[in-house]
Each structure stands twice: as structure tokens, then as C-alpha cells.
């Protein structure tokens, strides 16, 4: 009775329209385009999708282009006419049932690979992102960068802005740290990944980094996710401290739904009752993400354990289970690190680990 209009005029009131639109169910349809079609043909299909009241999101694979179209569930049958309207351009049209539409395997059955400079993450090659928890000085960073590259890393990690539990702990060097990361990239050729903490720093961080990291504490900071997505840079999304996998996948949806197909999920351990380790690294997320999503999965054993003596074993398990990349904290002298020294491996320890991983990578059919 509350929802019933009291008069015919009330039914046309603005509030009635707002209520109707607010509860209007949404659906996502997947349009698979035929291989080899031109950009002009693609634009014709996208234009028709928009005319039918849908917002299209293009996902480009090696052999196929797929369009996710989000719109009114009540009119989704309109899109099914595309195969008849464009028989030479559209291969198939199908609805997606998952809540996470664009990150799902239904939307994109093949694995996605994310281009980072000359590298492709999510392909046959396993990539290692390594470096200090915090950028502390030019000497510390360049020494680490040269060592991890020599051992086989392809991406340099380092925190310029640090989210700390206590306001009295080291918060990072800020833009000075970003400039040091850029210098290390110039001198070593390594790509760079660093964390974004605030919307006000989006342009600054994007100007210096190759991959934007969204940390566990910001995993459901949706406005920050949108801002990061809009830079067009690859986004590495860490799992939140107490985040369910569905929530993690839905957070990733904010990146893809804002015209950025370059998303990497990163498992970094969740908070449980266990105190032996800092967090509980859930390697079970690897096959789950692989089944549910086409996006690459990265494992961070340093945050996951909080203990350097467990990093090697967790890396080996992650590779064996199908991880696409590893994110490892490395420091020239962990005992003197300005943050999280207990979980950072030494330069020698990292080189030893990389050598030990070779046989496991080969056994897993990766490079």
C-alpha cells in the first residue's frame, strides 16, 4: 500500500520515477564479435548496443573481442537480435548470471593477459615483482633493484606512500619515493608497481608507476578504485583483511566497469584467529579465481605470512597451484628496514629462492 500512488497524478511524480528506476533490475549480456572485423564494424555494433539502452564495455583478447553490455533486465531480449542484424559481425549473444559480470569467466572464457611495458602478465611466463616494503633511500632502492633484476625479477615493487596502523610509524617518502622508483626503472629497465592510498594522489602516482596497487585496507574503497581505473594503468587489487571472495571479485568489477580491462587480483593473506603468522595466506584462492575469473592472480607471500622464513615455501606452493605472478618484499638489510623488516628476504635469499623456483616453474608447464 505504501508504494501505491494515491492518485493518477501521484504516479507521474518525480519520486515515483526515482523509485521505479532505483529498483529496475540490471542484467549483463555478452556479445562475442567475430574475429577479424574492422574497427568501423565494431563501432557499428557498439552504436546499436547503445541505441538499445545498454552501456557497452569492450574486452579485447588475442583471438576474440567480447562486449559486456549492462542494461535493463526487462529489455535484454532486444540484444539477442544482434546476431540477425549483424550476421557477419556478431557471433553470439548470451546473458551473464553472476553478480560480478565483467570479471567473470562467463564474460571472457579465455585467460586475460595484462600488458606491462614489454611484459605480459597472465601468459605462460610467471613474473616476479620484488623490492622493499618502503622506499627509504636512493642507495637502498637501486641496490635492491639491481639485485632483483639480476636474479630474474621483471617488476620492481616499493612503497612511496605507506598505510600504517599507527600514525607514529613511517608513512613513506611520498613523491620523493616515486621519483626514486622512476630513477630505478630508468637505470634497470624494470617496470614499477607502487601503492595508491588517496584519490588526491591519483595523477601523481599514475605519472610515475606502471602498475597501481590498491592495498588490503582500500580494497573496498570504491571511489579510489574508480579513480585508479580511470588512469588506464593496470590495477593490482589486493584482497581485504576479512574479505570474502565474492566481495573481492565485485571490487574488481569497479575497475573493469570503468573502461579499464587491466586488472590483477592479489591474494595477500586474510585475518584469522592464528597468531603464528601475521596473516593466513589462502592459496585456495588461486584455483577459485582461475575458475571464476579470467583476470590474472598474483600471490604476496610476504604480507601473507609476515615472516621471511616462510616466503620461499609459499612461493613454491603458489607456483605449483597456478599463480601468474609473485609479489615479494626484498631488502639489503631487513634488520634495519624502516617498515616490516621481519617479512623481507635478503638479496642473497631472494637469489636462492629464484633459483629454487626454476624446477617448479618447469614442472608446472610455465616459463
Amino acid at each position: 500500500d505504501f508504494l501505491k500512488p494515491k492518485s493518477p497524478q501521484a504516479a507521474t511524480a518525480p519520486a515515483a520515477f526515482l523509485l521505479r528506476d532505483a529498483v529496475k533490475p540490471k542484467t549483463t549480456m555478452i556479445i562475442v564479435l567475430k574475429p577479424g572485423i574492422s574497427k568501423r564494424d565494431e563501432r557499428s555494433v557498439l552504436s546499436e548496443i547503445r541505441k538499445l539502452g545498454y552501456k557497452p564495455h569492450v574486452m579485447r583478447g588475442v583471438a576474440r573481442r567480447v562486449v559486456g553490455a549492462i542494461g535493463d533486465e526487462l529489455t535484454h531480449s532486444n540484444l539477442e537480435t544482434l546476431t540477425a542484424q549483424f550476421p557477419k559481425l556478431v557471433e553470439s549473444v548470451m546473458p551473464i548470471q553472476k553478480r560480478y559480470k565483467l570479471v567473470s569467466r562467463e564474460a571472457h572464457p579465455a585467460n586475460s593477459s595484462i600488458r606491462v611495458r614489454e611484459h605480459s602478465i597472465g601468459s605462460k611466463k610467471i613474473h616476479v615483482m620484488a623490492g622493499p616494503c618502503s622506499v627509504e633511500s636512493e642507495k637502498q632502492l637501486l641496490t635492491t633493484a639491481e639485485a632483483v633484476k639480476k636474479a630474474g625479477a621483471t617488476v620492481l615493487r616499493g612503497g612511496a606512500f605507506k598505510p600504517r596502523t599507527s600514525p607514529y610509524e613511517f608513512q613513506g617518502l611520498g613523491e620523493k619515493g616515486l621519483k626514486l622508483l622512476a630513477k630505478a626503472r630508468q637505470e634497470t629497465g624494470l617496470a614499477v608497481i607502487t601503492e595508491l592510498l588517496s584519490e588526491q594522489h591519483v595523477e601523481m602516482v599514475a605519472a610515475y608507476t606502471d602498475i597501481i596497487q590498491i592495498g588490503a585496507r582500500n580494497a573496498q574503497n570504491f571511489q579510489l578504485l574508480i579513480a585508479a581505473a580511470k588512469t588506464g594503468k593496470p590495477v593490482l587489487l589486493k584482497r581485504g583483511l576479512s574479505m570474502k571472495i565474492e566481495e573481492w571479485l565485485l571490487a574488481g568489477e569497479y575497475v573493469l566497469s570503468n573502461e579499464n580491462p587491466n586488472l590483477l587480483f592479489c591474494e595477500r593473506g586474510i585475518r584469522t584467529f592464528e597468531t603464528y603468522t601475521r596473516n593466513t595466506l589462502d592459496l585456495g584462492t588461486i584455483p577459485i579465481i582461475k575458475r571464476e575469473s579470467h583476470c590474472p592472480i598474483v600471490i604476496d607471500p610476504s604480507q601473507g605470512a609476515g615472516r621471511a622464513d616462510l616466503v620461499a615455501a609459499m612461493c613454491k606452493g603458489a607456483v605449483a597451484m597456478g599463480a601468474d605472478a609473485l609479489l615479494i618484499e626484498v631488502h639489503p638489510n631487513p634488520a634495519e628496514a624502516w617498515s616490516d623488516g621481519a617479512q623481507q628476504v635478503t638479496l642473497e635469499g631472494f637469489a636462492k629462492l629464484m633459483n629454487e623456483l626454476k624446477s617448479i616453474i618447469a614442472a608446472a608447464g610455465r616459463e
Side-chain angles (χ1 to χ4, degrees):
D1 288 341
F2 174 76
L3 296 175
K4 289 179 180 177
K6 303 304 179 184
S7 67
Q9 291 76 18
T12 60
F17 281 106
L18 288 171
L19 180 61
R20 182 195 67 191
D21 290 342
V23 300
K24 186 182 292 183
K26 299 290 184 181
T27 190
T28 299
M29 303 292 287
I30 289 299
I31 299 95
V32 180
L33 303 179
K34 291 189 175 181
I37 70 171
S38 67
K39 286 278 190 180
R40 181 178 180 181
D41 288 337
E42 179 185 302
R43 287 195 295 268
S44 297
V45 176
L46 295 179
S47 176
E48 186 61 26
I49 290 170
R50 293 188 185 97
K51 286 179 184 177
L52 294 171
Y54 284 77
K55 183 179 180 181
H57 301 270
V58 181
M59 293 170 281
R60 305 182 192 279
V62 176
R64 285 284 191 278
R65 273 170 283 181
V66 176
V67 181
I70 300 175
D72 184 356
E73 184 179 273
L74 301 179
T75 61
H76 79 265
S77 59
N78 291 344
L79 282 183
E80 294 171 356
T81 64
L82 289 174
T83 51
Q85 188 173 353
F86 301 100
K88 295 182 180 180
L89 308 180
V90 176
E91 188 169 288
S92 62
V93 178
M94 66 194 83
I96 291 183
Q97 304 303 326
K98 304 281 187 182
R99 289 182 69 200
Y100 38 92
K101 308 294 186 183
L102 301 176
V103 305
S104 75
R105 283 280 181 190
E106 292 181 16
H108 197 288
N111 292 334
S112 287
S113 58
I114 309 303
R115 194 75 180 171
V116 180
R117 293 171 71 86
E118 71 271 23
H119 306 297
S120 181
I121 302 176
S123 58
K124 191 173 183 180
K125 183 175 181 179
I126 292 177
H127 288 267
V128 177
M129 310 173 187
C133 175
S134 299
V135 177
E136 299 166 2
S137 68
E138 181 175 332
K139 181 180 179 182
Q140 170 245 18
L141 185 63
L142 291 178
T143 299
T144 306
E146 290 165 1
V148 299
K149 181 181 181 180
K150 182 178 179 181
T154 53
V155 180
L156 174 66
R157 64 142 295 151
F161 294 94
K162 296 300 300 178
R164 307 306 299 278
T165 302
S166 169
Y168 307 112
E169 294 174 338
F170 177 59
Q171 307 288 316
L173 297 179
E175 188 171 13
K176 179 181 177 182
L178 293 173
K179 290 179 178 178
L180 290 175
L181 286 165
K183 182 173 183 179
R185 175 177 56 203
Q186 183 177 8
E187 294 198 8
T188 65
L190 291 169
V192 166
I193 178 171
T194 196
E195 184 168 356
L196 172 66
L197 294 185
S198 169
E199 289 178 63
Q200 72 185 59
H201 297 144
V202 171
E203 291 185 8
M204 181 198 303
V205 172
Y208 290 102
T209 194
D210 298 296
I211 306 172
I212 294 175
Q213 175 183 308
I214 302 296
R217 292 173 177 83
N218 277 312
Q220 288 183 293
N221 184 341
F222 302 127
Q223 293 307 308
L224 185 64
L225 284 169
I226 291 169
K230 288 183 177 178
T231 67
K233 296 273 185 175
V235 176
L236 180 139
L237 174 61
K238 289 198 168 185
R239 186 181 181 186
L241 292 169
S242 302
M243 208 176 203
K244 294 190 294 184
I245 289 175
E246 184 185 43
E247 293 171 331
W248 188 21
L249 290 162
L250 284 167
E253 195 77 4
Y254 277 87
V255 177
L256 267 63
S257 65
N258 280 278
E259 312 299 335
N260 189 338
N262 305 304
L263 172 67
L264 304 105
F265 287 108
C266 180
E267 165 61 40
R268 46 80 68 203
I270 53 175
R271 179 167 292 170
T272 68
F273 57 82
E274 185 54 68
T275 57
Y276 187 85
T277 54
R278 179 178 181 180
N279 296 295
T280 298
L281 186 66
D282 184 5
L283 292 181
T285 57
I286 299 171
I288 293 172
I289 293 296
K290 288 287 188 181
R291 181 174 63 219
E292 294 294 321
S293 177
H294 54 91
C295 300
I297 174 76
V298 182
I299 297 297
D300 179 350
S302 304
Q303 290 286 336
R307 296 177 49 145
D309 60 335
L310 295 177
V311 167
M314 291 181 169
C315 285
K316 294 170 186 176
V319 169
M321 292 183 70
D324 296 299
L326 301 170
L327 183 64
I328 305 171
E329 293 187 3
V330 184
H331 195 284
N333 189 353
E336 296 182 0
W338 294 4
S339 61
D340 293 342
Q343 66 195 35
Q344 300 188 67
V345 299
T346 64
L347 305 184
E348 297 76 18
F350 179 74
K352 182 174 181 287
L353 167 60
M354 292 292 283
N355 190 54
E356 292 173 350
L357 283 174
K358 290 178 182 177
S359 60
I360 299 173
I361 290 172
R366 307 290 289 272
E367 297 174 353

